[in-house]
Amino acid sequence: MNDRQTTAVITVLIALCAAGCGSDEPDSITAVSWGGSYGRAVQEGVNVPFTESTGIRVDVEDYNGGLAQIRAQVDIGDIHWDVVDLEISDAVRGCDEGLLERIDVNALEPGPDGTPAAEDFLTGSQVGCGVSTLFWSTVYAYNENNIPGARPTTMADFFDLNAFPGRRGMRRVPQVNLEFALIADGVPLDQVYAQLDTPEGLDRAFAKLETIKDEVIWWEAGAQPPQMLADGEVIMTTAYNGRIFNAQVLEDQPFVIVWDGQLLDVGQIAIVAGTPRLEEAMRYVTFASMAESMARIGRRISYSPVRKSGMPLVTTHVTAGVDMEPHMPASPANAARALRYDWSWWVDHQDAMNERFSAWLAR
Amino acid sequence: MAGSVRWSAGPLDRAQIRALGLVAPLLLFIGVTFIAPLGTMLMRSVHDPVVADALPETLAQLKSWDGEGLPPEAAYAALARELRRAAAARTLGQMAGRVNRVQVGLRSVVTRTARELREVEQGPWRTQMAAVDSAWADPATWYAIQVTGERFTARHYLNAVDLQQLADGSVAAQAEERRIYVRLFLRTLAVSGLITLLCLLLGYPVAHLIANSSPRRASLLLILVLVPFWTSLLVRTTAWIVLLQSQGVLNDLMVSLGLINDSGRLAMVYNMTGTIVAMTHVLLPFMVLPLYSVMRGIPATHMNAAASLGATPLRAFWRVYWPQSLPGVGAGALLVFILAIGYYITPALVGGSSGQLISNMIAYHMQTSLNWGLAAALGGVLLAGVLILYWLYDRLVGVERMGLG
């Protein structure tokens, strides 16, 4: 063989390998989550133990919620996300649109005491494609050092620029913000979604948001709010409660959570429709939805298991040793003035609200 | 520029073939990486076959519908059949998303209807579908399907300039709360113009200084211009966040100097100020470098000659130096302006909600709302605007006078 032939043979081999070598490698999946301290809790509490017990490697990607990236992958037919951690309303919408695989709740592992999965999950937390994993909530929080005088205690205080002048952080999405606006405007918790269902109620919510619009810094990633509080860039901000907890406990930040009017939601994981790694993805979902996995997350960040058998396993924080129960959004003391997120309202209105909200922002 | 390349009328000789062979990779590269994506993107702004492909029978039934009242039962039956087919083929989501853009809220109506109809085998379809959602008893729903069913459409371009086509075919202004793009285009033009002006004011003296320094000092100064130019865009932008934020370097300094008190810290980032400051800094080298290269070619003796003929320094500058530096001003201004118009990362990071430009809206429609047709149309309008400005520039100043160095 002369040089040229050798080169040709090597080229062909490389081409064949590129086409074939990588294709039958079922031992890794891509799990997409929300990054930051929650992402680390999932990594330590679920991904690492999953790899240890199955040998399937888990590649982690971060995102900030929404269906856009899943939609783009399914539309183009090039699916590289296998399992996604998403909000329940997105899980339902994704299911209806055929973006997610259907999952039978009976295929999931029973509780540690043998209770079938369908009974072990708290009622109302299972829908078509998504498997519920934890309770989380959006709250607002402030940095004690930056508010010297009277402290905010109610949702109305968050919107009160006279009593608490300064900039606020809010997530750059319509959900949660509209509810908060109505709660702050004096709407009783059980009337919030009834109000949102009327054009006047919607106008009222946007009008309330308008009153603080000039003072709002909009965040997207869950890791931003604690950072903005620490930097003093905002005097208070809405945030995922677990992120604030981690800053309080692990970084000794003087942050205070205001639980009044918190929006309590259920987080779900689901499988992207048409993934070539369906079997591995299903094994991951089964593993992540076991009470033990949920409890391992609950021992790292203040999101509580949605399985009845999960909560007793949580106990204390894995490194800091603090009792987790008082920090959980669903604990009775914190949930006294909590609003349950009505995902069915958002399933029907998300598109309309996204459009109205982004137009409102751009004005 | 024009006329510098001449092709002979006869057959290509060997030298020309070889020359063509040498540039072929470049032409291929430009074609694959520039012309083709641009073409397909612009195509998307007028061509959208998703609904037409998903609902051919329904659309055929709607052809005979006059738009008054509800379409015939046959249209309902065809739609029910095709919704089920689309759900099975997983194209339902895409199709529902298209219809949703004309009538917001229809995405969930369509997907829910497809879900409810999964078990239904028998008509009457109209009453059954209206029972799932009252939207099916509304002609507007059917109009939305009919409109999105057109393969070629001017909808996206109308949308991009805040217009909409009504059911009777007439064109009218968009509803008040959806009218945002024209305002954003104008804001983008104004901000880009302001940034160009700031770059010129800041860059002109710098370029003049460099051009008239000793070679050693000039190269040192040039490096000072180029080092930020070579630094990552993200680093420079986040550096501005550190400087400008309310607990940032600048505010801390002013508080410690007693210029402002602690509660009156200035909001200089996450708003328009942040966008303008950071973009001016990021784009400044694009102004300095062409200016410098033109100024270097202006003999210093001209100013001396003007002075010896009795001109004041200001008059000498204005009558002698400035006209000679104009090609650099033109090149730098055009470069900065066109780059600013399409800028995306910097406003996204430091612009907050008030400092967003049209490019951020294009990114939003590309990544979040996935309305690529509208994103392409907005990009098309932007491209047309830039081309018009370029044409104007050519008419007023002349492109051949531009000195890019």
Side-chain angles (χ1 to χ4, degrees), chain A residues 68 96 231 233 351-352 355, chain B residues 104 107 115 178 245 247 367:
Chain A
D96 283 349
D231 291 346
E233 192 56 35
D351 284 318
E355 165 148 353
Chain B
V104 176
R107 188 201 310 261
R115 185 180 59 202
R178 292 176 77 170
Q245 64 188 0
Q247 303 288 322
Q367 295 165 352

Side-chain angles (χ1 to χ4, degrees), chain A residues 278-320:
Chain A
L278 179 59
E279 193 196 323
E280 291 79 15
M282 192 57 217
R283 285 177 74 182
Y284 179 87
V285 167
T286 310
F287 186 88
S289 61
M290 295 192 320
E292 293 85 348
S293 299
M294 294 177 185
R296 275 195 298 270
I297 292 181
R299 297 193 62 189
R300 287 166 174 85
I301 193 163
S302 54
Y303 298 139
S304 53
V306 296
R307 278 191 185 232
K308 291 168 196 156
S309 57
M311 198 56 210
L313 304 174
V314 172
T315 64
T316 56
H317 190 275
V318 70
T319 54

Side-chain angles (χ1 to χ4, degrees), chain A residues 4-251:
Chain A
R4 190 173 286 182
Q5 279 171 322
T6 316
T7 315
V9 167
I10 291 174
T11 312
V12 168
L13 282 178
I14 290 174
L16 282 176
C17 189
C21 287
S23 64
D24 54 346
E25 192 191 312
D27 37 9
S28 91
I29 60 165
T30 302
V32 181
S33 187
W34 298 67
S37 50
Y38 173 58
R40 279 194 295 280
V42 172
Q43 176 69 11
E44 291 171 20
V46 179
N47 298 351
V48 171
F50 174 71
T51 305
E52 278 168 9
S53 84
T54 62
I56 300 172
R57 197 178 78 231
V58 180
D59 297 326
V60 177
E61 272 194 52
D62 296 343
Y63 86 134
N64 296 325
L67 286 172
Q69 285 142 297
I70 302 172
R71 230 178 242 148
Q73 287 179 31
V74 175
D75 283 2
I76 298 167
D78 175 20
I79 289 150
H80 55 276
W81 285 6
D82 301 309
V83 180
V84 185
D85 187 319
L86 29 67
E87 289 172 69
I88 191 166
S89 50
D90 285 339
V92 177
R93 293 196 313 142
C95 204
D96 283 349
E97 284 180 45
L99 302 174
L100 303 173
E101 295 284 348
R102 297 199 154 265
I103 296 174
D104 181 8
V105 67
N106 296 310
L108 302 175
E109 294 280 316
D113 57 351
T115 318
E119 290 166 35
D120 199 21
F121 279 93
L122 289 155
T123 48
S125 58
Q126 274 332 99
V127 284
C129 297
V131 175
S132 299
T133 51
L134 41 81
F135 284 110
W136 62 281
S137 108
T138 308
V139 294
Y140 82 88
Y142 61 90
N143 184 336
E144 254 180 356
N145 293 346
N146 295 339
I147 300 188
R151 302 276 163 75
T153 53
T154 65
M155 189 51 73
D157 290 340
F158 187 83
F159 286 79
D160 190 344
L161 288 176
N162 292 325
F164 304 98
R167 301 180 111 186
R168 275 89 167 124
M170 291 183 109
R171 188 175 168 208
R172 199 190 190 108
V173 290
Q175 62 265 36
V176 180
N177 294 334
L178 292 181
E179 285 96 327
F180 280 178
L182 286 184
I183 296 171
D185 211 26
V187 176
L189 293 179
D190 57 354
Q191 295 290 310
V192 169
Y193 285 101
Q195 278 280 322
L196 281 182
D197 228 9
T198 65
E200 301 76 40
L202 267 182
D203 290 345
R204 184 175 173 187
F206 274 101
K208 187 72 180 174
L209 285 175
E210 187 75 44
T211 61
I212 58 168
K213 186 182 182 186
D214 291 341
E215 294 293 322
V216 174
I217 296 177
W218 301 96
W219 56 267
E220 284 172 41
Q224 283 170 282
Q227 189 62 49
M228 292 195 295
L229 277 185
D231 291 346
E233 192 56 35
V234 293
I235 69 154
M236 42 182 127
T237 178
T238 65
Y240 307 137
N241 72 290
R243 309 299 181 111
I244 300 295
F245 165 82
N246 268 42
Q248 287 169 329
V249 170
L250 300 183
E251 294 162 25

Side-chain angles (χ1 to χ4, degrees), chain A residues 362-363, chain B residues 162 176 179-188:
Chain A
R363 297 175 80 82
Chain B
D162 290 342
E176 171 70 31
R179 239 178 276 163
I180 49 175
Y181 301 117
V182 169
R183 194 184 314 204
L184 267 180
F185 274 119
L186 294 179
R187 184 199 280 177
T188 306

Side-chain angles (χ1 to χ4, degrees), chain B residues 227-260:
Chain B
V227 165
F229 187 53
W230 291 331
T231 311
S232 154
L233 176 66
L234 282 176
V235 171
R236 277 181 289 165
T237 306
T238 39
W240 277 111
I241 299 179
V242 174
L243 286 174
L244 297 179
Q245 64 188 0
S246 65
Q247 303 288 322
V249 178
L250 215 56
N251 264 317
D252 282 349
L253 192 71
M254 286 193 288
V255 169
S256 63
L257 290 177
L259 293 174
I260 52 176

